[in-house]
């Protein structure tokens, strides 16, 4: 199954094509292999570069849009403007191609990437940049999310029983924990999170963004006065 994976929940604009395979043994491990990817770190260029990245991946892999069987998109948590670009693009491709679009927590995708480096009994803390000197965070144990996602200042975040950390390179150093090499959601990580649903071909839930707080854009006070008369 060829899956298109995109994420714009972090400063990294990510697009990739992933080959997902259950293998001959239905009870065996799922194989997810990225065959083409593009990642550009630029929090101001999500809208400009995401679609070209997708087209470049298709060209590199020698595939066409009609080869894509499903789409996985990170739904955050993330800043309002960047996050909606990825979700709107994924929804538009899904509608145009008549294929399902699955939303996954972007922090879950980072955790999936870091899972291979985490001891079986370990607990993982994932943090990403929430701006305003805050972080989005979640904790994981045995591959499952046990806390979060939430947003707070790094100094207010209790790492709990975490034994390692992954995520934003500018924020992991706030915590005295071993750092695992997974900073942003990868195409493979995104697809791993949705693998069971993809292979079962379940009907995806509606895409719901994880903003966790109000958008940065605030309505002008004079406009509110004009409309309400108050």
């Amino acid at each position: 199954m060829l899956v298109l994976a995109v994420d714009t929940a972090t400063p990294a604009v990510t697009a990739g094509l992933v080959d997902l395979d259950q293998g001959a043994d239905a009870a065996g491990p799922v194989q997810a292999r990225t065959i083409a990817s593009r990642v550009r770190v630029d929090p101001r260029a999500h809208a400009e570069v995401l679609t070209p990245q997708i087209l470049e991946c298709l060209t590199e892999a020698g595939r066409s849009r009609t080869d894509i069987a499903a789409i996985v998109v990170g739904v955050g948590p993330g800043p309002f403007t960047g996050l909606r670009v990825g979700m709107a693009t994924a929804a538009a491709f899904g509608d145009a191609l008549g294929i399902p679009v699955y939303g996954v927590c972007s922090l879950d995708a980072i955790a999936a990437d870091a899972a291979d480096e985490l001891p079986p009994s370990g607990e993982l803390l994932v943090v990403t940049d929430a701006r305003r000197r805050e972080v989005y965070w979640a904790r994981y144990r045995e591959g499952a999310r046990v806390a979060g996602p939430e947003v707070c200042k790094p100094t207010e975040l209790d790492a709990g029983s975490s034994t390692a950390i992954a995520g934003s390179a500018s924020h992991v150093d706030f915590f005295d924990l071993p750092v695992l090499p997974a900073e942003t959601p990868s195409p493979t990580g995104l697809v791993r999170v949705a693998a069971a649903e993809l292979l079962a071909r379940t009907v995806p839930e509606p895409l719901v963004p994880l903003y966790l707080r109000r958008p940065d854009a605030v309505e002008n006070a004079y406009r509110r006065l004009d409309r309400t008369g108050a």
Side-chain angles (χ1 to χ4, degrees):
M1 174 186 293
L2 184 66
V3 183
L4 170 64
V6 299
D7 187 275
T8 54
T10 73
V13 187
T14 299
L17 293 172
V18 178
D19 187 16
L20 180 65
D21 184 17
Q22 177 67 72
D25 182 1
V30 172
Q31 302 296 322
R33 180 176 63 90
T34 298
I35 59 176
S37 67
R38 293 290 186 278
V39 179
R40 175 172 168 178
V41 180
D42 189 340
R44 301 173 185 268
H46 295 84
E48 291 78 9
V49 305
L50 181 57
T51 297
Q53 284 181 330
I54 294 171
L55 299 179
E56 288 173 8
C57 287
L58 286 167
T59 299
E60 179 183 323
R63 304 292 185 90
S64 69
R65 301 184 193 190
T66 56
D67 292 327
I68 301 171
I71 300 172
V72 176
V73 58
V75 298
F80 178 81
T81 303
L83 186 55
R84 66 181 180 180
V85 169
M87 296 181 66
T89 300
F93 267 81
D95 184 62
L97 298 173
I99 57 177
V101 182
Y102 298 84
V104 301
C105 174
S106 302
L107 300 178
D108 291 358
I110 296 175
D113 285 327
D116 293 340
E117 304 293 331
L118 189 69
S121 60
E123 183 171 299
L124 177 68
L125 175 65
V126 176
V127 296
T128 58
D129 186 9
R131 302 178 183 175
R132 305 182 190 175
R133 299 182 179 180
E134 293 180 328
V135 293
Y136 298 116
W137 66 270
R139 289 202 306 270
Y140 300 82
R141 187 184 306 119
E142 297 181 354
R145 184 171 1 119
V146 296
E150 298 288 348
V151 60
C152 69
K153 296 183 182 301
T155 54
E156 299 173 351
L157 175 54
D158 180 5
S161 57
S162 300
T163 56
I165 189 170
S168 169
S170 59
H171 294 89
V172 292
D173 289 340
F174 281 98
F175 305 90
D176 186 21
L177 292 168
V179 179
L180 302 185
E183 296 183 20
T184 61
S186 74
T188 298
L190 291 161
V191 171
R192 281 180 175 175
V193 176
E197 293 178 275
L198 287 162
L199 292 169
R201 301 185 185 276
T202 59
V203 177
E205 297 290 332
L207 296 178
V208 178
L210 288 169
Y211 292 132
L212 299 189
R213 65 186 182 201
R214 294 171 63 87
D216 290 335
V218 178
E219 185 179 14
N220 185 288
Y222 292 107
R223 291 186 179 179
R224 290 200 302 270
L225 289 173
D226 287 343
R227 188 176 66 249
T228 65

